[in-house]
PDB file of all heavy atoms in Angstrom:
ATOM      1  N   GLU P   9      -7.934   6.081   8.817  1.00 96.00           N
ATOM      2  CA  GLU P   9      -6.702   6.083   9.619  1.00 96.00           C
ATOM      3  C   GLU P   9      -5.487   6.360   8.738  1.00 96.00           C
ATOM      4  O   GLU P   9      -4.613   7.133   9.105  1.00 96.00           O
ATOM      5  CB  GLU P   9      -6.524   4.732  10.324  1.00 96.00           C
ATOM      6  CG  GLU P   9      -7.501   4.472  11.436  1.00 96.00           C
ATOM      7  CD  GLU P   9      -7.046   5.075  12.753  1.00 96.00           C
ATOM      8  OE1 GLU P   9      -5.832   5.085  13.025  1.00 96.00           O
ATOM      9  OE2 GLU P   9      -7.920   5.532  13.496  1.00 96.00           O
ATOM     10  N   ALA P  10      -5.442   5.715   7.569  1.00 97.00           N
ATOM     11  CA  ALA P  10      -4.310   5.917   6.664  1.00 97.00           C
ATOM     12  C   ALA P  10      -4.271   7.350   6.150  1.00 97.00           C
ATOM     13  O   ALA P  10      -3.192   7.935   6.013  1.00 97.00           O
ATOM     14  CB  ALA P  10      -4.378   4.926   5.509  1.00 97.00           C
ATOM     15  N   MET P  11      -5.429   7.942   5.895  1.00 97.00           N
ATOM     16  CA  MET P  11      -5.466   9.327   5.425  1.00 97.00           C
ATOM     17  C   MET P  11      -5.070  10.310   6.518  1.00 97.00           C
ATOM     18  O   MET P  11      -4.721  11.451   6.213  1.00 97.00           O
ATOM     19  CB  MET P  11      -6.851   9.668   4.868  1.00 97.00           C
ATOM     20  CG  MET P  11      -7.112   9.083   3.491  1.00 97.00           C
ATOM     21  SD  MET P  11      -5.879   9.554   2.250  1.00 97.00           S
ATOM     22  CE  MET P  11      -6.110  11.330   2.194  1.00 97.00           C
ATOM     23  N   SER P  12      -5.076   9.874   7.766  1.00 97.00           N
ATOM     24  CA  SER P  12      -4.643  10.748   8.856  1.00 97.00           C
ATOM     25  C   SER P  12      -3.115  10.755   9.015  1.00 97.00           C
ATOM     26  O   SER P  12      -2.584  11.545   9.787  1.00 97.00           O
ATOM     27  CB  SER P  12      -5.310  10.338  10.168  1.00 97.00           C
ATOM     28  OG  SER P  12      -4.739   9.151  10.678  1.00 97.00           O
ATOM     29  N   ILE P  13      -2.421   9.902   8.283  1.00 97.00           N
ATOM     30  CA  ILE P  13      -0.956   9.893   8.310  1.00 97.00           C
ATOM     31  C   ILE P  13      -0.472  11.203   7.693  1.00 97.00           C
ATOM     32  O   ILE P  13      -0.955  11.629   6.638  1.00 97.00           O
ATOM     33  CB  ILE P  13      -0.400   8.671   7.545  1.00 97.00           C
ATOM     34  CG1 ILE P  13      -0.810   7.373   8.253  1.00 97.00           C
ATOM     35  CG2 ILE P  13       1.110   8.755   7.401  1.00 97.00           C
ATOM     36  CD1 ILE P  13      -0.482   6.098   7.480  1.00 97.00           C
ATOM     37  N   SER P  14       0.486  11.828   8.326  1.00 96.00           N
ATOM     38  CA  SER P  14       0.993  13.118   7.864  1.00 96.00           C
ATOM     39  C   SER P  14       1.475  13.030   6.418  1.00 96.00           C
ATOM     40  O   SER P  14       2.293  12.181   6.082  1.00 96.00           O
ATOM     41  CB  SER P  14       2.141  13.560   8.778  1.00 96.00           C
ATOM     42  OG  SER P  14       2.623  14.807   8.376  1.00 96.00           O
ATOM     43  N   GLY P  15       0.946  13.914   5.575  1.00 96.00           N
ATOM     44  CA  GLY P  15       1.338  13.970   4.169  1.00 96.00           C
ATOM     45  C   GLY P  15       0.534  13.075   3.247  1.00 96.00           C
ATOM     46  O   GLY P  15       0.767  13.060   2.033  1.00 96.00           O
ATOM     47  N   ALA P  16      -0.423  12.307   3.783  1.00 97.00           N
ATOM     48  CA  ALA P  16      -1.195  11.366   2.961  1.00 97.00           C
ATOM     49  C   ALA P  16      -2.030  12.102   1.921  1.00 97.00           C
ATOM     50  O   ALA P  16      -2.685  13.094   2.218  1.00 97.00           O
ATOM     51  CB  ALA P  16      -2.092  10.502   3.831  1.00 97.00           C
ATOM     52  N   VAL P  17      -1.995  11.590   0.696  1.00 96.00           N
ATOM     53  CA  VAL P  17      -2.760  12.142  -0.414  1.00 96.00           C
ATOM     54  C   VAL P  17      -3.850  11.165  -0.836  1.00 96.00           C
ATOM     55  O   VAL P  17      -4.943  11.568  -1.206  1.00 96.00           O
ATOM     56  CB  VAL P  17      -1.840  12.438  -1.615  1.00 96.00           C
ATOM     57  CG1 VAL P  17      -2.630  12.893  -2.823  1.00 96.00           C
ATOM     58  CG2 VAL P  17      -0.777  13.439  -1.244  1.00 96.00           C
ATOM     59  N   GLY P  18      -3.549   9.886  -0.791  1.00 97.00           N
ATOM     60  CA  GLY P  18      -4.513   8.869  -1.185  1.00 97.00           C
ATOM     61  C   GLY P  18      -4.093   7.508  -0.672  1.00 97.00           C
ATOM     62  O   GLY P  18      -2.907   7.259  -0.436  1.00 97.00           O
ATOM     63  N   VAL P  19      -5.080   6.638  -0.495  1.00 97.00           N
ATOM     64  CA  VAL P  19      -4.828   5.296   0.001  1.00 97.00           C
ATOM     65  C   VAL P  19      -5.829   4.343  -0.646  1.00 97.00           C
ATOM     66  O   VAL P  19      -6.955   4.748  -0.969  1.00 97.00           O
ATOM     67  CB  VAL P  19      -4.926   5.231   1.547  1.00 97.00           C
ATOM     68  CG1 VAL P  19      -6.320   5.571   2.032  1.00 97.00           C
ATOM     69  CG2 VAL P  19      -4.480   3.879   2.070  1.00 97.00           C
ATOM     70  N   ALA P  20      -5.403   3.103  -0.840  1.00 97.00           N
ATOM     71  CA  ALA P  20      -6.311   2.081  -1.366  1.00 97.00           C
ATOM     72  C   ALA P  20      -5.933   0.736  -0.759  1.00 97.00           C
ATOM     73  O   ALA P  20      -4.765   0.470  -0.490  1.00 97.00           O
ATOM     74  CB  ALA P  20      -6.227   2.005  -2.882  1.00 97.00           C
ATOM     75  N   LEU P  21      -6.945  -0.085  -0.539  1.00 96.00           N
ATOM     76  CA  LEU P  21      -6.748  -1.487  -0.184  1.00 96.00           C
ATOM     77  C   LEU P  21      -7.041  -2.264  -1.459  1.00 96.00           C
ATOM     78  O   LEU P  21      -8.123  -2.146  -2.025  1.00 96.00           O
ATOM     79  CB  LEU P  21      -7.689  -1.912   0.939  1.00 96.00           C
ATOM     80  CG  LEU P  21      -7.641  -3.396   1.318  1.00 96.00           C
ATOM     81  CD1 LEU P  21      -6.275  -3.765   1.894  1.00 96.00           C
ATOM     82  CD2 LEU P  21      -8.754  -3.733   2.308  1.00 96.00           C
ATOM     83  N   VAL P  22      -6.048  -3.039  -1.917  1.00 95.00           N
ATOM     84  CA  VAL P  22      -6.116  -3.638  -3.246  1.00 95.00           C
ATOM     85  C   VAL P  22      -5.931  -5.149  -3.167  1.00 95.00           C
ATOM     86  O   VAL P  22      -5.089  -5.650  -2.416  1.00 95.00           O
ATOM     87  CB  VAL P  22      -5.020  -3.034  -4.161  1.00 95.00           C
ATOM     88  CG1 VAL P  22      -5.134  -3.573  -5.580  1.00 95.00           C
ATOM     89  CG2 VAL P  22      -5.079  -1.514  -4.152  1.00 95.00           C
ATOM     90  N   ASP P  23      -6.707  -5.859  -3.976  1.00 92.00           N
ATOM     91  CA  ASP P  23      -6.547  -7.303  -4.157  1.00 92.00           C
ATOM     92  C   ASP P  23      -5.702  -7.500  -5.404  1.00 92.00           C
ATOM     93  O   ASP P  23      -6.149  -7.180  -6.509  1.00 92.00           O
ATOM     94  CB  ASP P  23      -7.913  -7.964  -4.313  1.00 92.00           C
ATOM     95  CG  ASP P  23      -7.845  -9.460  -4.528  1.00 92.00           C
ATOM     96  OD1 ASP P  23      -6.749  -9.989  -4.820  1.00 92.00           O
ATOM     97  OD2 ASP P  23      -8.892 -10.109  -4.412  1.00 92.00           O
ATOM     98  N   TYR P  24      -4.460  -8.009  -5.259  1.00 92.00           N
ATOM     99  CA  TYR P  24      -3.606  -8.116  -6.438  1.00 92.00           C
ATOM    100  C   TYR P  24      -3.917  -9.339  -7.294  1.00 92.00           C
ATOM    101  O   TYR P  24      -3.371  -9.489  -8.383  1.00 92.00           O
ATOM    102  CB  TYR P  24      -2.113  -8.024  -6.100  1.00 92.00           C
ATOM    103  CG  TYR P  24      -1.530  -9.107  -5.240  1.00 92.00           C
ATOM    104  CD1 TYR P  24      -1.204 -10.355  -5.759  1.00 92.00           C
ATOM    105  CD2 TYR P  24      -1.245  -8.866  -3.913  1.00 92.00           C
ATOM    106  CE1 TYR P  24      -0.632 -11.332  -4.969  1.00 92.00           C
ATOM    107  CE2 TYR P  24      -0.676  -9.828  -3.113  1.00 92.00           C
ATOM    108  CZ  TYR P  24      -0.361 -11.063  -3.650  1.00 92.00           C
ATOM    109  OH  TYR P  24       0.207 -12.024  -2.853  1.00 92.00           O
ATOM    110  N   ASP P  25      -4.805 -10.210  -6.857  1.00 88.00           N
ATOM    111  CA  ASP P  25      -5.274 -11.279  -7.748  1.00 88.00           C
ATOM    112  C   ASP P  25      -6.176 -10.703  -8.838  1.00 88.00           C
ATOM    113  O   ASP P  25      -6.076 -11.069 -10.002  1.00 88.00           O
ATOM    114  CB  ASP P  25      -6.034 -12.356  -6.976  1.00 88.00           C
ATOM    115  CG  ASP P  25      -5.116 -13.317  -6.241  1.00 88.00           C
ATOM    116  OD1 ASP P  25      -3.912 -13.409  -6.597  1.00 88.00           O
ATOM    117  OD2 ASP P  25      -5.600 -13.980  -5.304  1.00 88.00           O
ATOM    118  N   SER P  26      -7.032  -9.768  -8.450  1.00 89.00           N
ATOM    119  CA  SER P  26      -7.989  -9.193  -9.402  1.00 89.00           C
ATOM    120  C   SER P  26      -7.588  -7.805  -9.892  1.00 89.00           C
ATOM    121  O   SER P  26      -8.058  -7.361 -10.932  1.00 89.00           O
ATOM    122  CB  SER P  26      -9.371  -9.101  -8.757  1.00 89.00           C
ATOM    123  OG  SER P  26      -9.361  -8.139  -7.707  1.00 89.00           O
ATOM    124  N   GLY P  27      -6.756  -7.094  -9.124  1.00 87.00           N
ATOM    125  CA  GLY P  27      -6.403  -5.723  -9.467  1.00 87.00           C
ATOM    126  C   GLY P  27      -7.438  -4.704  -9.024  1.00 87.00           C
ATOM    127  O   GLY P  27      -7.312  -3.520  -9.308  1.00 87.00           O
ATOM    128  N   MET P  28      -8.445  -5.155  -8.305  1.00 91.00           N
ATOM    129  CA  MET P  28      -9.525  -4.270  -7.869  1.00 91.00           C
ATOM    130  C   MET P  28      -9.252  -3.740  -6.465  1.00 91.00           C
ATOM    131  O   MET P  28      -8.708  -4.448  -5.629  1.00 91.00           O
ATOM    132  CB  MET P  28     -10.854  -5.020  -7.873  1.00 91.00           C
ATOM    133  CG  MET P  28     -11.243  -5.599  -9.214  1.00 91.00           C
ATOM    134  SD  MET P  28     -11.464  -4.363 -10.489  1.00 91.00           S
ATOM    135  CE  MET P  28     -12.943  -3.590  -9.902  1.00 91.00           C
ATOM    136  N   SER P  29      -9.687  -2.498  -6.241  1.00 93.00           N
ATOM    137  CA  SER P  29      -9.552  -1.951  -4.895  1.00 93.00           C
ATOM    138  C   SER P  29     -10.811  -2.276  -4.098  1.00 93.00           C
ATOM    139  O   SER P  29     -11.921  -2.219  -4.614  1.00 93.00           O
ATOM    140  CB  SER P  29      -9.301  -0.447  -4.944  1.00 93.00           C
ATOM    141  OG  SER P  29     -10.350   0.209  -5.572  1.00 93.00           O
ATOM    142  N   LEU P  30     -10.601  -2.620  -2.835  1.00 94.00           N
ATOM    143  CA  LEU P  30     -11.702  -2.938  -1.932  1.00 94.00           C
ATOM    144  C   LEU P  30     -12.145  -1.710  -1.148  1.00 94.00           C
ATOM    145  O   LEU P  30     -13.220  -1.708  -0.564  1.00 94.00           O
ATOM    146  CB  LEU P  30     -11.289  -4.039  -0.963  1.00 94.00           C
ATOM    147  CG  LEU P  30     -10.782  -5.336  -1.602  1.00 94.00           C
ATOM    148  CD1 LEU P  30     -10.322  -6.321  -0.545  1.00 94.00           C
ATOM    149  CD2 LEU P  30     -11.852  -5.952  -2.477  1.00 94.00           C
ATOM    150  N   GLY P  31     -11.298  -0.705  -1.133  1.00 94.00           N
ATOM    151  CA  GLY P  31     -11.608   0.536  -0.442  1.00 94.00           C
ATOM    152  C   GLY P  31     -10.580   1.587  -0.807  1.00 94.00           C
ATOM    153  O   GLY P  31      -9.443   1.257  -1.112  1.00 94.00           O
ATOM    154  N   THR P  32     -10.991   2.851  -0.797  1.00 95.00           N
ATOM    155  CA  THR P  32     -10.078   3.949  -1.111  1.00 95.00           C
ATOM    156  C   THR P  32     -10.364   5.138  -0.207  1.00 95.00           C
ATOM    157  O   THR P  32     -11.436   5.234   0.388  1.00 95.00           O
ATOM    158  CB  THR P  32     -10.223   4.420  -2.581  1.00 95.00           C
ATOM    159  OG1 THR P  32     -11.544   4.888  -2.790  1.00 95.00           O
ATOM    160  CG2 THR P  32      -9.889   3.316  -3.563  1.00 95.00           C
ATOM    161  N   GLY P  33      -9.408   6.020  -0.152  1.00 95.00           N
ATOM    162  CA  GLY P  33      -9.563   7.278   0.560  1.00 95.00           C
ATOM    163  C   GLY P  33      -8.686   8.320  -0.104  1.00 95.00           C
ATOM    164  O   GLY P  33      -7.593   8.006  -0.577  1.00 95.00           O
ATOM    165  N   GLY P  34      -9.149   9.546  -0.167  1.00 94.00           N
ATOM    166  CA  GLY P  34      -8.363  10.608  -0.781  1.00 94.00           C
ATOM    167  C   GLY P  34      -8.339  10.478  -2.289  1.00 94.00           C
ATOM    168  O   GLY P  34      -9.313  10.067  -2.907  1.00 94.00           O
ATOM    169  N   GLY P  35      -7.214  10.812  -2.869  1.00 89.00           N
ATOM    170  CA  GLY P  35      -7.087  10.779  -4.327  1.00 89.00           C
ATOM    171  C   GLY P  35      -7.435  12.134  -4.893  1.00 89.00           C
ATOM    172  O   GLY P  35      -7.032  13.156  -4.359  1.00 89.00           O
ATOM    173  N   GLY P  36      -8.173  12.149  -5.971  1.00 82.00           N
ATOM    174  CA  GLY P  36      -8.585  13.409  -6.577  1.00 82.00           C
ATOM    175  C   GLY P  36      -8.388  13.375  -8.076  1.00 82.00           C
ATOM    176  O   GLY P  36      -8.189  12.317  -8.669  1.00 82.00           O
ATOM    177  N   ASP P  37      -8.421  14.559  -8.687  1.00 83.00           N
ATOM    178  CA  ASP P  37      -8.324  14.661 -10.144  1.00 83.00           C
ATOM    179  C   ASP P  37      -7.013  14.094 -10.689  1.00 83.00           C
ATOM    180  O   ASP P  37      -7.000  13.430 -11.714  1.00 83.00           O
ATOM    181  CB  ASP P  37      -8.474  16.113 -10.594  1.00 83.00           C
ATOM    182  CG  ASP P  37      -9.873  16.647 -10.345  1.00 83.00           C
ATOM    183  OD1 ASP P  37     -10.809  15.830 -10.215  1.00 83.00           O
ATOM    184  OD2 ASP P  37     -10.026  17.881 -10.270  1.00 83.00           O
ATOM    185  N   TRP P  38      -5.916  14.380 -10.038  1.00 86.00           N
ATOM    186  CA  TRP P  38      -4.621  13.944 -10.551  1.00 86.00           C
ATOM    187  C   TRP P  38      -4.200  12.570 -10.026  1.00 86.00           C
ATOM    188  O   TRP P  38      -3.225  12.008 -10.505  1.00 86.00           O
ATOM    189  CB  TRP P  38      -3.547  14.973 -10.231  1.00 86.00           C
ATOM    190  CG  TRP P  38      -3.301  15.127  -8.757  1.00 86.00           C
ATOM    191  CD1 TRP P  38      -3.918  16.002  -7.919  1.00 86.00           C
ATOM    192  CD2 TRP P  38      -2.409  14.375  -7.952  1.00 86.00           C
ATOM    193  NE1 TRP P  38      -3.468  15.825  -6.634  1.00 86.00           N
ATOM    194  CE2 TRP P  38      -2.529  14.831  -6.626  1.00 86.00           C
ATOM    195  CE3 TRP P  38      -1.509  13.347  -8.220  1.00 86.00           C
ATOM    196  CZ2 TRP P  38      -1.795  14.298  -5.586  1.00 86.00           C
ATOM    197  CZ3 TRP P  38      -0.773  12.821  -7.165  1.00 86.00           C
ATOM    198  CH2 TRP P  38      -0.919  13.300  -5.870  1.00 86.00           C
ATOM    199  N   LEU P  39      -4.913  12.018  -9.051  1.00 92.00           N
ATOM    200  CA  LEU P  39      -4.578  10.698  -8.505  1.00 92.00           C
ATOM    201  C   LEU P  39      -5.818   9.810  -8.563  1.00 92.00           C
ATOM    202  O   LEU P  39      -6.623   9.777  -7.644  1.00 92.00           O
ATOM    203  CB  LEU P  39      -4.066  10.800  -7.068  1.00 92.00           C
ATOM    204  CG  LEU P  39      -3.729   9.474  -6.367  1.00 92.00           C
ATOM    205  CD1 LEU P  39      -2.652   8.714  -7.128  1.00 92.00           C
ATOM    206  CD2 LEU P  39      -3.284   9.728  -4.931  1.00 92.00           C
TER     207      LEU P  39
END
Side-chain angles (χ1 to χ4, degrees):
E9 290 275 324
M11 284 304 297
S12 74
I13 295 172
S14 181
V17 175
V19 63
L21 175 65
V22 184
D23 179 346
Y24 64 79
D25 281 340
S26 68
M28 302 298 290
S29 60
L30 304 177
T32 61
D37 293 339
W38 65 269
L39 178 59

